[in-house]
Amino acid sequence: MTEFLGLYNYWIVIFLMMTGFYIVIARENLIKTIIGLNIFQTSVFLLYITMGKVTGGTAPILKGSHGGESHGGETHGAENHGAEHGQELIAAAEGHLDSGVDAVVGVYSNPIPSVLMLTAIVVGIATTALALALVVRIREEYGTIEEDEILEMDRNS
Amino acid sequence: MMDFIVIPILALLAATAVTVARIRNLWAAVMFTGIYSFLSASWMLILDAPDVAFTEAAVGAGITTILMLATLSLTPRRHRKSGRLSSEDFEERPSKSPLFPLLIVTITGCALVYGTFDMPHFGDPNAPIQVYPEPSFVEKSQPDMHGLPNVVTAVLASYRGYDTLGETAVIFTAGIAVLLILRKNTDDKDGSESQAVTGENV
C-alpha cells in the first residue's frame, strides 16, 4: 500500500478533473458547462505541475555566485563552466544529492511543465472568452441559456 | 511541516470543486470558481512553479471571474423589459437524474487511477520527465539569456520564443472573434454590449 501513496498527487488531480467532467456532462446550463470546463482545465495544469516537482527541489530560479549581482566577467566564466555545471546538475537529478553539488548548483524542479502551462493558461482564457461571447449571442437569439430549451426550440422551428 | 499547509489546501480544493458542482446559484458558482483557481495557484506555488501560480491567480482567478460575471449580467433567465432582477433569475433549473453522468464519471475516474499505477512517484528525481531533456539546459540558459536567473522566463522568451509569438496570435484571433460575435447590426442596447467587450480586451 505504501508504494501507492506516492501517487496521491495524481489521484487528487483525477478527482478534480472528474468533478469538472461531471459538471460538463450533467448540467444543462451553458455557463455552468463553461465553469466545468474551466475546472477540468485547471486540473490539467495541476497534473503537469505536479509531474515537474522534484523532492527537495526549489523553484527554477538560479542562485549562486554568478547570479544577479555579478554580471560582466562572471557571465563569461559561467559560459566556460556551463557544461560542467550541467553534469553536476544531472548528478543531482539522479539522486546523488550530497556528492558533487557545490554552492552554485542546487536542486531545481523541472521548469518545462511551468513553461508549457503558462502558454496553456493564456490560450485557455482565450477559448473561455470566446465561449462566453457565444453564450451571450445565444441568449440574444433564443432568450435562454438552458441547453434543452434551446434544442427544443430548434426542433419546433 | 509542509503537510500542515498542503493538506488543508488540497482538502479545500476538493471541497470547492464539489461545491461548484452542487450549487445552483450561478453567481455563487462563479465566485467559487475564482476561489478554486486561487487555491490551485497556492498549490502550484508549493510545487515550485511561482510563474504559473502568478499567472493562474491573475488570469484564472481574476480575468476569468470578471468575464463570467460580465456574461452572467447579460444572460438573466427571464427576459424582462423593466423591474429588478432577483437572484432567482440567475439560478439553474434542477437537472435530470445525476445517476448516469455519475456512473460515467466514476468509470472514467477508475480507469485513470488504474493508469497512474505505472506513473513515477511524486517528486521522484529519476522520473523520465526529469532525466530525458538533458537538464544541463537549466545552467546553460543563464549565459544564453545574459545572466537572467529565472529559467522559466528564459525558456519561454528565448528557446520557445516562436511558441510565445503564436500564443499572442491566438489571443489576437480570439479578441477579433469575440468582437465579431458580439457585433450587432442594429445599434440598440449599446451600453451592455460594450461592457462585455471591454472585459475581453483586458
Side-chain angles (χ1 to χ4, degrees), chain A residues 3 6 10-12 22 27 31-32 35 38 42 51 53 55 57 60 62 66 89 93 109-110 118-119 122 125 129-130 137 139-140 148-149, chain B residues 10 17 20-21 23 33 40 48 55 64 68 72 76 92-93 98 116 120-123 125 129-130 135 142 149 151 167 177 181 184 200:
Chain A
E3 64 176 306
Y10 301 113
W11 298 343
I12 287 161
Y22 172 80
R27 294 309 180 85
I31 290 182
K32 200 62 182 282
I35 289 176
N38 254 316
T42 310
M51 286 197 289
K53 169 74 177 167
T55 307
L62 303 181
H66 54 281
L89 196 76
S109 291
N110 202 326
L118 280 173
T119 309
V122 175
I125 183 68
L130 199 58
R137 195 76 190 86
R139 170 65 174 70
E140 280 172 8
D148 48 349
E149 290 176 11
Chain B
L10 296 184
V20 172
I23 207 162
T33 315
S40 55
D48 299 340
T55 315
T64 308
M68 288 206 175
L72 216 50
E92 278 180 278
R93 286 177 315 107
T116 61
H121 280 195
F122 177 61
I129 185 176
Q130 322 294 1
Q142 199 161 29
V151 183
E167 168 193 327
I181 289 170
K184 284 181 187 169
E200 313 299 345

Short mmCIF file of all heavy atoms in Angstrom, two decimals, chain A residues 3 6 10-12 22 27 31-32 35 38 42 51 53 55 57 60 62 66 89 93 109-110 118-119 122 125 129-130 137 139-140 148-149, chain B residues 10 17 20-21 23 33 40 48 55 64 68 72 76 92-93 98 116 120-123 125 129-130 135 142 149 151 167 177 181 184 200:
data_model
loop_
_atom_site.label_atom_id
_atom_site.label_comp_id
_atom_site.label_asym_id
_atom_site.label_seq_id
_atom_site.Cartn_x
_atom_site.Cartn_y
_atom_site.Cartn_z
N GLU A 3 3.58 1.79 -1.36
CA GLU A 3 4.18 2.15 -2.65
C GLU A 3 3.21 2.94 -3.51
O GLU A 3 3.61 3.62 -4.45
CB GLU A 3 4.66 0.90 -3.38
CG GLU A 3 3.52 -0.02 -3.76
CD GLU A 3 4.03 -1.21 -4.56
OE1 GLU A 3 4.71 -0.95 -5.56
OE2 GLU A 3 3.76 -2.36 -4.18
N GLY A 6 2.71 7.32 -2.88
CA GLY A 6 3.46 8.32 -3.61
C GLY A 6 2.74 8.84 -4.83
O GLY A 6 3.19 9.78 -5.47
N TYR A 10 -1.60 12.45 -8.28
CA TYR A 10 -2.39 12.13 -9.46
C TYR A 10 -3.85 11.90 -9.09
O TYR A 10 -4.75 12.28 -9.82
CB TYR A 10 -1.86 10.87 -10.15
CG TYR A 10 -0.43 10.97 -10.59
CD1 TYR A 10 0.55 10.20 -10.00
CD2 TYR A 10 -0.07 11.86 -11.61
CE1 TYR A 10 1.86 10.30 -10.40
CE2 TYR A 10 1.23 11.95 -12.01
CZ TYR A 10 2.19 11.16 -11.41
OH TYR A 10 3.49 11.27 -11.80
N TRP A 11 -4.07 11.26 -7.92
CA TRP A 11 -5.44 10.94 -7.55
C TRP A 11 -6.23 12.20 -7.24
O TRP A 11 -7.40 12.31 -7.60
CB TRP A 11 -5.45 9.98 -6.37
CG TRP A 11 -4.78 8.68 -6.68
CD1 TRP A 11 -4.50 8.21 -7.93
CD2 TRP A 11 -4.30 7.72 -5.76
NE1 TRP A 11 -3.87 7.00 -7.84
CE2 TRP A 11 -3.73 6.66 -6.52
CE3 TRP A 11 -4.29 7.63 -4.38
CZ2 TRP A 11 -3.16 5.55 -5.93
CZ3 TRP A 11 -3.73 6.51 -3.79
CH2 TRP A 11 -3.17 5.47 -4.56
N ILE A 12 -5.57 13.17 -6.58
CA ILE A 12 -6.27 14.43 -6.31
C ILE A 12 -6.62 15.13 -7.62
O ILE A 12 -7.74 15.61 -7.82
CB ILE A 12 -5.39 15.32 -5.41
CG1 ILE A 12 -5.38 14.74 -4.01
CG2 ILE A 12 -5.89 16.75 -5.40
CD1 ILE A 12 -4.26 15.21 -3.17
N TYR A 22 -17.94 15.93 -14.63
CA TYR A 22 -19.33 15.73 -14.21
C TYR A 22 -20.16 16.98 -14.49
O TYR A 22 -21.28 16.89 -15.01
CB TYR A 22 -19.37 15.38 -12.72
CG TYR A 22 -20.76 15.34 -12.17
CD1 TYR A 22 -21.57 14.23 -12.37
CD2 TYR A 22 -21.29 16.43 -11.46
CE1 TYR A 22 -22.86 14.21 -11.88
CE2 TYR A 22 -22.57 16.40 -10.97
CZ TYR A 22 -23.35 15.29 -11.19
OH TYR A 22 -24.62 15.27 -10.73
N ARG A 27 -24.85 19.01 -16.40
CA ARG A 27 -25.58 20.27 -16.28
C ARG A 27 -26.01 20.78 -17.64
O ARG A 27 -25.27 20.66 -18.61
CB ARG A 27 -24.72 21.31 -15.56
CG ARG A 27 -24.49 20.92 -14.12
CD ARG A 27 -25.80 20.60 -13.46
NE ARG A 27 -25.67 20.21 -12.08
CZ ARG A 27 -25.60 21.06 -11.06
NH1 ARG A 27 -25.64 22.35 -11.30
NH2 ARG A 27 -25.51 20.63 -9.83
N ILE A 31 -23.52 28.35 -19.01
CA ILE A 31 -22.46 28.98 -18.21
C ILE A 31 -21.87 27.97 -17.24
O ILE A 31 -20.65 27.91 -17.04
CB ILE A 31 -23.01 30.21 -17.47
CG1 ILE A 31 -23.29 31.32 -18.47
CG2 ILE A 31 -22.03 30.69 -16.41
CD1 ILE A 31 -23.77 32.59 -17.87
N LYS A 32 -22.74 27.13 -16.66
CA LYS A 32 -22.23 26.10 -15.75
C LYS A 32 -21.32 25.14 -16.50
O LYS A 32 -20.30 24.68 -15.96
CB LYS A 32 -23.43 25.36 -15.14
CG LYS A 32 -23.13 24.61 -13.88
CD LYS A 32 -22.69 25.53 -12.77
CE LYS A 32 -22.36 24.78 -11.51
NZ LYS A 32 -23.54 24.37 -10.76
N ILE A 35 -18.00 26.72 -16.73
CA ILE A 35 -17.33 26.63 -15.43
C ILE A 35 -16.71 25.24 -15.26
O ILE A 35 -15.57 25.10 -14.81
CB ILE A 35 -18.34 26.93 -14.30
CG1 ILE A 35 -18.69 28.42 -14.29
CG2 ILE A 35 -17.77 26.53 -12.95
CD1 ILE A 35 -19.74 28.78 -13.28
N ASN A 38 -13.59 24.95 -17.18
CA ASN A 38 -12.51 25.67 -16.52
C ASN A 38 -11.88 24.84 -15.41
O ASN A 38 -10.66 24.82 -15.25
CB ASN A 38 -13.06 26.97 -15.92
CG ASN A 38 -12.63 28.16 -16.72
OD1 ASN A 38 -11.48 28.24 -17.10
ND2 ASN A 38 -13.54 29.06 -16.97
N THR A 42 -8.01 23.62 -15.25
CA THR A 42 -7.10 23.91 -14.14
C THR A 42 -6.51 22.63 -13.57
O THR A 42 -5.33 22.60 -13.19
CB THR A 42 -7.84 24.69 -13.05
OG1 THR A 42 -8.52 25.78 -13.64
CG2 THR A 42 -6.88 25.23 -12.02
N MET A 51 3.93 16.84 -11.93
CA MET A 51 4.93 15.94 -12.52
C MET A 51 6.31 16.59 -12.54
O MET A 51 7.32 15.89 -12.53
CB MET A 51 4.52 15.56 -13.94
CG MET A 51 3.38 14.58 -13.96
SD MET A 51 3.20 13.76 -15.53
CE MET A 51 2.60 15.04 -16.57
N LYS A 53 7.64 18.46 -10.20
CA LYS A 53 8.20 18.67 -8.86
C LYS A 53 9.28 17.63 -8.54
O LYS A 53 9.12 16.45 -8.86
CB LYS A 53 7.06 18.58 -7.85
CG LYS A 53 7.48 18.50 -6.40
CD LYS A 53 7.96 19.83 -5.88
CE LYS A 53 8.30 19.71 -4.38
NZ LYS A 53 9.06 20.89 -3.93
N THR A 55 11.59 16.22 -5.31
CA THR A 55 11.67 16.28 -3.85
C THR A 55 12.93 17.02 -3.42
O THR A 55 14.02 16.75 -3.92
CB THR A 55 11.70 14.85 -3.26
OG1 THR A 55 10.59 14.14 -3.78
CG2 THR A 55 11.62 14.90 -1.76
N GLY A 57 13.65 19.96 -4.11
CA GLY A 57 14.00 20.98 -5.07
C GLY A 57 13.38 22.32 -4.71
O GLY A 57 12.58 22.43 -3.79
N PRO A 60 12.77 26.94 -10.16
CA PRO A 60 13.92 27.01 -11.08
C PRO A 60 14.40 28.44 -11.33
O PRO A 60 14.32 28.96 -12.43
CB PRO A 60 13.38 26.35 -12.36
CG PRO A 60 11.91 26.55 -12.28
CD PRO A 60 11.55 26.53 -10.83
N LEU A 62 17.84 30.44 -10.77
CA LEU A 62 19.21 30.10 -10.43
C LEU A 62 19.75 31.02 -9.36
O LEU A 62 19.56 32.23 -9.40
CB LEU A 62 20.10 30.17 -11.68
CG LEU A 62 19.66 29.29 -12.84
CD1 LEU A 62 20.63 29.45 -14.00
CD2 LEU A 62 19.60 27.85 -12.42
N HIS A 66 27.22 33.42 -9.77
CA HIS A 66 27.05 34.20 -10.98
C HIS A 66 25.60 34.60 -11.19
O HIS A 66 25.16 34.78 -12.30
CB HIS A 66 27.62 33.46 -12.19
CG HIS A 66 27.07 32.07 -12.35
ND1 HIS A 66 27.53 31.02 -11.62
CD2 HIS A 66 26.10 31.57 -13.15
CE1 HIS A 66 26.88 29.92 -11.96
NE2 HIS A 66 26.00 30.24 -12.88
N LEU A 89 24.45 19.04 -12.31
CA LEU A 89 23.00 19.08 -12.15
C LEU A 89 22.40 17.72 -12.45
O LEU A 89 21.49 17.28 -11.76
CB LEU A 89 22.42 20.14 -13.08
CG LEU A 89 21.00 20.53 -12.72
CD1 LEU A 89 21.02 21.43 -11.51
CD2 LEU A 89 20.33 21.19 -13.87
N ALA A 93 20.25 15.42 -10.15
CA ALA A 93 18.94 14.92 -10.54
C ALA A 93 18.87 13.41 -10.42
O ALA A 93 17.81 12.85 -10.23
CB ALA A 93 18.63 15.33 -11.98
N SER A 109 13.26 22.17 -9.38
CA SER A 109 12.17 21.46 -10.03
C SER A 109 12.20 21.76 -11.52
O SER A 109 12.81 22.73 -11.95
CB SER A 109 10.84 21.88 -9.43
OG SER A 109 10.75 21.41 -8.12
N ASN A 110 11.53 20.90 -12.28
CA ASN A 110 11.63 21.00 -13.73
C ASN A 110 10.92 22.25 -14.24
O ASN A 110 9.73 22.44 -13.96
CB ASN A 110 10.99 19.75 -14.34
CG ASN A 110 11.48 19.49 -15.73
OD1 ASN A 110 11.76 20.43 -16.46
ND2 ASN A 110 11.59 18.24 -16.10
N LEU A 118 2.17 27.84 -18.70
CA LEU A 118 1.98 29.29 -18.89
C LEU A 118 1.28 29.55 -20.22
O LEU A 118 0.32 30.32 -20.31
CB LEU A 118 3.31 30.03 -18.85
CG LEU A 118 3.87 30.31 -17.46
CD1 LEU A 118 5.26 30.87 -17.56
CD2 LEU A 118 2.98 31.28 -16.73
N THR A 119 1.77 28.87 -21.26
CA THR A 119 1.13 29.01 -22.57
C THR A 119 -0.31 28.54 -22.52
O THR A 119 -1.22 29.20 -23.04
CB THR A 119 1.92 28.21 -23.62
OG1 THR A 119 3.29 28.57 -23.53
CG2 THR A 119 1.41 28.48 -25.00
N VAL A 122 -2.86 30.95 -20.90
CA VAL A 122 -3.22 32.11 -21.73
C VAL A 122 -4.13 31.69 -22.87
O VAL A 122 -5.11 32.37 -23.19
CB VAL A 122 -1.94 32.81 -22.22
CG1 VAL A 122 -2.27 33.92 -23.15
CG2 VAL A 122 -1.16 33.32 -21.05
N ILE A 125 -7.69 31.14 -21.45
CA ILE A 125 -8.53 32.33 -21.24
C ILE A 125 -9.10 32.80 -22.58
O ILE A 125 -10.24 33.27 -22.66
CB ILE A 125 -7.75 33.45 -20.51
CG1 ILE A 125 -8.63 34.67 -20.22
CG2 ILE A 125 -6.58 33.93 -21.29
CD1 ILE A 125 -9.68 34.44 -19.22
N ALA A 129 -13.08 33.12 -23.18
CA ALA A 129 -13.69 34.38 -23.62
C ALA A 129 -14.56 34.14 -24.85
O ALA A 129 -15.68 34.66 -24.96
CB ALA A 129 -12.60 35.40 -23.92
N LEU A 130 -14.05 33.32 -25.77
CA LEU A 130 -14.80 33.03 -26.99
C LEU A 130 -16.10 32.29 -26.65
O LEU A 130 -17.19 32.64 -27.17
CB LEU A 130 -13.93 32.17 -27.91
CG LEU A 130 -14.31 32.13 -29.37
CD1 LEU A 130 -14.32 33.53 -29.94
CD2 LEU A 130 -13.31 31.27 -30.12
N ARG A 137 -24.35 35.61 -27.23
CA ARG A 137 -25.02 35.66 -28.54
C ARG A 137 -26.23 34.69 -28.56
O ARG A 137 -27.30 35.04 -29.07
CB ARG A 137 -24.01 35.27 -29.62
CG ARG A 137 -24.42 35.60 -31.00
CD ARG A 137 -24.25 37.09 -31.25
NE ARG A 137 -24.87 37.44 -32.52
CZ ARG A 137 -26.14 37.73 -32.65
NH1 ARG A 137 -26.94 37.75 -31.60
NH2 ARG A 137 -26.64 38.02 -33.84
N ARG A 139 -27.97 33.72 -25.99
CA ARG A 139 -29.00 34.31 -25.14
C ARG A 139 -29.78 35.39 -25.90
O ARG A 139 -30.99 35.52 -25.74
CB ARG A 139 -28.33 34.90 -23.90
CG ARG A 139 -29.17 35.76 -23.00
CD ARG A 139 -30.28 34.98 -22.36
NE ARG A 139 -31.01 35.77 -21.39
CZ ARG A 139 -31.81 36.78 -21.70
NH1 ARG A 139 -31.97 37.10 -22.96
NH2 ARG A 139 -32.42 37.46 -20.77
N GLU A 140 -29.09 36.14 -26.75
CA GLU A 140 -29.78 37.16 -27.54
C GLU A 140 -30.75 36.53 -28.52
O GLU A 140 -31.85 37.02 -28.73
CB GLU A 140 -28.77 38.01 -28.32
CG GLU A 140 -28.12 39.09 -27.49
CD GLU A 140 -27.00 39.76 -28.26
OE1 GLU A 140 -26.86 39.48 -29.47
OE2 GLU A 140 -26.26 40.55 -27.65
N ASP A 148 -31.37 22.31 -23.05
CA ASP A 148 -32.51 21.53 -23.55
C ASP A 148 -33.59 22.44 -24.13
O ASP A 148 -34.24 22.08 -25.12
CB ASP A 148 -33.06 20.63 -22.45
CG ASP A 148 -33.28 21.38 -21.16
OD1 ASP A 148 -32.81 22.52 -21.07
OD2 ASP A 148 -33.92 20.82 -20.26
N GLU A 149 -33.78 23.62 -23.53
CA GLU A 149 -34.75 24.57 -24.08
C GLU A 149 -34.34 25.03 -25.48
O GLU A 149 -35.17 25.15 -26.38
CB GLU A 149 -34.90 25.77 -23.16
CG GLU A 149 -35.61 25.45 -21.85
CD GLU A 149 -35.65 26.64 -20.90
OE1 GLU A 149 -35.33 27.76 -21.34
OE2 GLU A 149 -36.00 26.43 -19.73
N LEU B 10 -5.32 21.12 -0.25
CA LEU B 10 -5.91 20.10 -1.12
C LEU B 10 -7.33 19.77 -0.71
O LEU B 10 -8.21 19.60 -1.56
CB LEU B 10 -5.04 18.84 -1.11
CG LEU B 10 -3.64 19.02 -1.67
CD1 LEU B 10 -2.90 17.70 -1.70
CD2 LEU B 10 -3.70 19.61 -3.06
N ALA B 17 -14.40 22.29 -5.43
CA ALA B 17 -14.85 21.70 -6.70
C ALA B 17 -16.21 21.04 -6.54
O ALA B 17 -17.10 21.22 -7.38
CB ALA B 17 -13.81 20.69 -7.20
N VAL B 20 -18.93 23.67 -6.29
CA VAL B 20 -19.28 24.23 -7.60
C VAL B 20 -20.23 23.30 -8.34
O VAL B 20 -21.19 23.73 -8.98
CB VAL B 20 -18.00 24.48 -8.44
CG1 VAL B 20 -18.36 24.87 -9.86
CG2 VAL B 20 -17.17 25.57 -7.82
N ALA B 21 -19.97 21.98 -8.21
CA ALA B 21 -20.82 21.02 -8.93
C ALA B 21 -22.23 21.00 -8.34
O ALA B 21 -23.20 20.77 -9.06
CB ALA B 21 -20.20 19.63 -8.87
N ILE B 23 -23.87 23.49 -6.35
CA ILE B 23 -24.59 24.73 -6.09
C ILE B 23 -25.41 25.13 -7.32
O ILE B 23 -25.01 24.89 -8.46
CB ILE B 23 -23.59 25.84 -5.67
CG1 ILE B 23 -24.28 26.85 -4.79
CG2 ILE B 23 -22.96 26.50 -6.86
CD1 ILE B 23 -23.31 27.66 -4.01
N THR B 33 -15.63 29.35 -8.40
CA THR B 33 -14.61 29.05 -9.42
C THR B 33 -13.37 29.91 -9.21
O THR B 33 -12.24 29.45 -9.35
CB THR B 33 -15.17 29.29 -10.82
OG1 THR B 33 -16.46 28.72 -10.89
CG2 THR B 33 -14.30 28.66 -11.87
N SER B 40 -5.78 26.56 -6.38
CA SER B 40 -4.84 25.79 -7.20
C SER B 40 -3.56 26.60 -7.44
O SER B 40 -2.48 26.02 -7.50
CB SER B 40 -5.48 25.38 -8.53
OG SER B 40 -5.97 26.48 -9.20
N ASP B 48 6.68 24.54 -6.51
CA ASP B 48 7.84 25.20 -7.14
C ASP B 48 7.55 25.77 -8.52
O ASP B 48 8.42 25.75 -9.39
CB ASP B 48 9.04 24.24 -7.26
CG ASP B 48 9.50 23.76 -5.90
OD1 ASP B 48 9.17 24.43 -4.93
OD2 ASP B 48 10.18 22.73 -5.85
N THR B 55 0.42 33.60 -12.80
CA THR B 55 -0.45 33.71 -13.96
C THR B 55 -1.83 33.16 -13.67
O THR B 55 -2.84 33.75 -14.05
CB THR B 55 0.17 32.96 -15.15
OG1 THR B 55 1.55 33.30 -15.22
CG2 THR B 55 -0.49 33.34 -16.43
N THR B 64 -10.85 35.56 -15.65
CA THR B 64 -11.95 34.63 -15.93
C THR B 64 -13.19 34.98 -15.12
O THR B 64 -14.31 34.97 -15.63
CB THR B 64 -11.50 33.19 -15.62
OG1 THR B 64 -10.28 32.94 -16.30
CG2 THR B 64 -12.53 32.20 -16.08
N MET B 68 -16.80 36.03 -16.60
CA MET B 68 -18.01 35.25 -16.31
C MET B 68 -19.07 36.13 -15.66
O MET B 68 -20.26 36.00 -15.97
CB MET B 68 -17.66 34.09 -15.38
CG MET B 68 -16.88 33.03 -16.10
SD MET B 68 -17.09 31.45 -15.35
CE MET B 68 -16.19 30.43 -16.48
N LEU B 72 -22.73 36.77 -17.10
CA LEU B 72 -23.89 36.47 -16.27
C LEU B 72 -24.84 37.67 -16.22
O LEU B 72 -26.06 37.51 -16.27
CB LEU B 72 -23.40 36.12 -14.87
CG LEU B 72 -24.14 35.05 -14.11
CD1 LEU B 72 -24.30 33.83 -14.98
CD2 LEU B 72 -23.36 34.70 -12.86
N PRO B 76 -29.65 36.95 -17.83
CA PRO B 76 -30.61 36.51 -16.82
C PRO B 76 -31.64 35.59 -17.47
O PRO B 76 -31.85 35.62 -18.68
CB PRO B 76 -31.24 37.80 -16.33
CG PRO B 76 -31.06 38.75 -17.44
CD PRO B 76 -29.80 38.37 -18.12
N GLU B 92 -29.89 27.94 -11.92
CA GLU B 92 -30.11 26.86 -12.87
C GLU B 92 -31.43 26.19 -12.57
O GLU B 92 -31.84 26.14 -11.40
CB GLU B 92 -29.04 25.79 -12.66
CG GLU B 92 -27.74 26.03 -13.30
CD GLU B 92 -26.88 24.86 -12.94
OE1 GLU B 92 -26.32 24.83 -11.86
OE2 GLU B 92 -26.81 23.94 -13.76
N ARG B 93 -32.03 25.63 -13.60
CA ARG B 93 -33.17 24.79 -13.32
C ARG B 93 -32.65 23.48 -12.75
O ARG B 93 -31.54 23.06 -13.09
CB ARG B 93 -33.95 24.52 -14.61
CG ARG B 93 -34.74 25.73 -15.05
CD ARG B 93 -35.44 25.51 -16.34
NE ARG B 93 -34.58 24.87 -17.33
CZ ARG B 93 -34.70 23.62 -17.71
NH1 ARG B 93 -35.64 22.89 -17.20
NH2 ARG B 93 -33.89 23.11 -18.59
N PRO B 98 -28.95 12.62 -11.80
CA PRO B 98 -27.49 12.68 -11.99
C PRO B 98 -26.84 11.31 -12.01
O PRO B 98 -25.62 11.23 -12.05
CB PRO B 98 -27.04 13.48 -10.77
CG PRO B 98 -28.02 13.12 -9.71
CD PRO B 98 -29.34 12.85 -10.41
N THR B 116 -2.56 5.44 -13.37
CA THR B 116 -1.48 6.06 -12.60
C THR B 116 -0.56 5.05 -11.95
O THR B 116 0.51 5.43 -11.50
CB THR B 116 -2.05 6.96 -11.47
OG1 THR B 116 -2.83 6.14 -10.59
CG2 THR B 116 -2.89 8.07 -12.02
N PRO B 120 5.57 7.48 -12.47
CA PRO B 120 6.59 7.66 -11.43
C PRO B 120 5.99 8.36 -10.21
O PRO B 120 5.01 9.08 -10.32
CB PRO B 120 7.64 8.54 -12.11
CG PRO B 120 6.93 9.22 -13.20
CD PRO B 120 5.85 8.29 -13.65
N HIS B 121 6.59 8.13 -9.06
CA HIS B 121 6.06 8.71 -7.83
C HIS B 121 6.26 10.22 -7.80
O HIS B 121 7.09 10.78 -8.51
CB HIS B 121 6.75 8.08 -6.61
CG HIS B 121 6.16 6.75 -6.26
ND1 HIS B 121 6.38 6.12 -5.07
CD2 HIS B 121 5.35 5.92 -6.96
CE1 HIS B 121 5.74 4.98 -5.04
NE2 HIS B 121 5.12 4.83 -6.18
N PHE B 122 5.47 10.83 -6.93
CA PHE B 122 5.53 12.29 -6.76
C PHE B 122 6.91 12.71 -6.25
O PHE B 122 7.39 12.18 -5.26
CB PHE B 122 4.44 12.70 -5.76
CG PHE B 122 4.42 14.15 -5.45
CD1 PHE B 122 4.19 15.08 -6.45
CD2 PHE B 122 4.63 14.60 -4.16
CE1 PHE B 122 4.16 16.42 -6.16
CE2 PHE B 122 4.59 15.94 -3.87
CZ PHE B 122 4.37 16.85 -4.87
N GLY B 123 7.54 13.65 -6.97
CA GLY B 123 8.82 14.16 -6.53
C GLY B 123 10.00 13.27 -6.84
O GLY B 123 11.11 13.54 -6.38
N PRO B 125 13.18 12.04 -8.37
CA PRO B 125 14.18 12.71 -9.23
C PRO B 125 14.59 11.86 -10.43
O PRO B 125 15.21 12.38 -11.35
CB PRO B 125 15.35 12.95 -8.29
CG PRO B 125 15.16 12.05 -7.16
CD PRO B 125 13.71 11.71 -7.06
N ILE B 129 10.56 12.45 -16.93
CA ILE B 129 10.41 13.88 -17.26
C ILE B 129 11.61 14.68 -16.75
O ILE B 129 11.98 15.69 -17.33
CB ILE B 129 9.08 14.40 -16.67
CG1 ILE B 129 8.83 15.83 -17.09
CG2 ILE B 129 9.05 14.31 -15.17
CD1 ILE B 129 7.51 16.37 -16.64
N GLN B 130 12.23 14.22 -15.65
CA GLN B 130 13.38 14.97 -15.11
C GLN B 130 14.65 14.62 -15.86
O GLN B 130 15.59 15.42 -15.89
CB GLN B 130 13.60 14.66 -13.63
CG GLN B 130 12.36 14.49 -12.80
CD GLN B 130 11.56 15.74 -12.65
OE1 GLN B 130 11.91 16.78 -13.21
NE2 GLN B 130 10.45 15.65 -11.96
N PRO B 135 19.10 17.93 -18.36
CA PRO B 135 18.84 19.10 -17.53
C PRO B 135 19.91 20.17 -17.60
O PRO B 135 19.77 21.21 -16.96
CB PRO B 135 18.75 18.51 -16.11
CG PRO B 135 18.99 17.09 -16.20
CD PRO B 135 19.25 16.71 -17.61
N GLN B 142 21.47 30.50 -18.48
CA GLN B 142 21.93 31.77 -17.94
C GLN B 142 22.87 32.51 -18.89
O GLN B 142 22.61 33.67 -19.20
CB GLN B 142 22.58 31.55 -16.58
CG GLN B 142 22.65 32.84 -15.81
CD GLN B 142 22.86 32.61 -14.34
OE1 GLN B 142 23.46 31.63 -13.94
NE2 GLN B 142 22.38 33.51 -13.53
N PRO B 149 18.29 35.04 -14.25
CA PRO B 149 18.29 33.87 -13.36
C PRO B 149 17.06 32.99 -13.48
O PRO B 149 17.13 31.81 -13.14
CB PRO B 149 18.37 34.49 -11.97
CG PRO B 149 17.81 35.85 -12.11
CD PRO B 149 18.05 36.29 -13.52
N VAL B 151 14.78 30.52 -15.01
CA VAL B 151 14.87 29.60 -16.15
C VAL B 151 13.55 29.57 -16.93
O VAL B 151 13.54 29.46 -18.15
CB VAL B 151 15.24 28.19 -15.66
CG1 VAL B 151 15.40 27.25 -16.83
CG2 VAL B 151 16.49 28.22 -14.83
N GLU B 167 1.21 32.11 -29.38
CA GLU B 167 0.22 32.29 -28.33
C GLU B 167 -0.40 33.69 -28.40
O GLU B 167 -1.61 33.86 -28.25
CB GLU B 167 0.94 32.05 -27.00
CG GLU B 167 0.23 32.43 -25.76
CD GLU B 167 1.20 32.43 -24.58
OE1 GLU B 167 2.13 31.61 -24.57
OE2 GLU B 167 1.02 33.25 -23.68
N ALA B 177 -12.45 37.47 -32.84
CA ALA B 177 -13.65 36.63 -32.95
C ALA B 177 -14.72 37.08 -31.97
O ALA B 177 -15.91 37.13 -32.32
CB ALA B 177 -13.27 35.17 -32.68
N ILE B 181 -18.45 38.22 -32.98
CA ILE B 181 -19.63 37.53 -32.46
C ILE B 181 -20.59 38.51 -31.79
O ILE B 181 -21.80 38.44 -31.96
CB ILE B 181 -19.21 36.43 -31.47
CG1 ILE B 181 -18.53 35.28 -32.20
CG2 ILE B 181 -20.41 35.90 -30.70
CD1 ILE B 181 -17.89 34.28 -31.29
N LYS B 184 -23.40 43.89 -33.44
CA LYS B 184 -24.82 43.88 -33.81
C LYS B 184 -25.02 44.75 -35.04
O LYS B 184 -24.32 45.72 -35.25
CB LYS B 184 -25.66 44.44 -32.67
CG LYS B 184 -25.84 43.46 -31.55
CD LYS B 184 -26.70 44.08 -30.50
CE LYS B 184 -26.78 43.21 -29.29
NZ LYS B 184 -27.39 43.92 -28.18
N GLU B 200 -13.28 41.62 -22.48
CA GLU B 200 -12.44 40.73 -23.27
C GLU B 200 -11.05 41.29 -23.49
O GLU B 200 -10.09 40.54 -23.61
CB GLU B 200 -13.07 40.46 -24.65
CG GLU B 200 -14.53 40.10 -24.67
CD GLU B 200 -14.84 38.85 -23.91
OE1 GLU B 200 -13.89 38.12 -23.61
OE2 GLU B 200 -16.01 38.61 -23.60
#
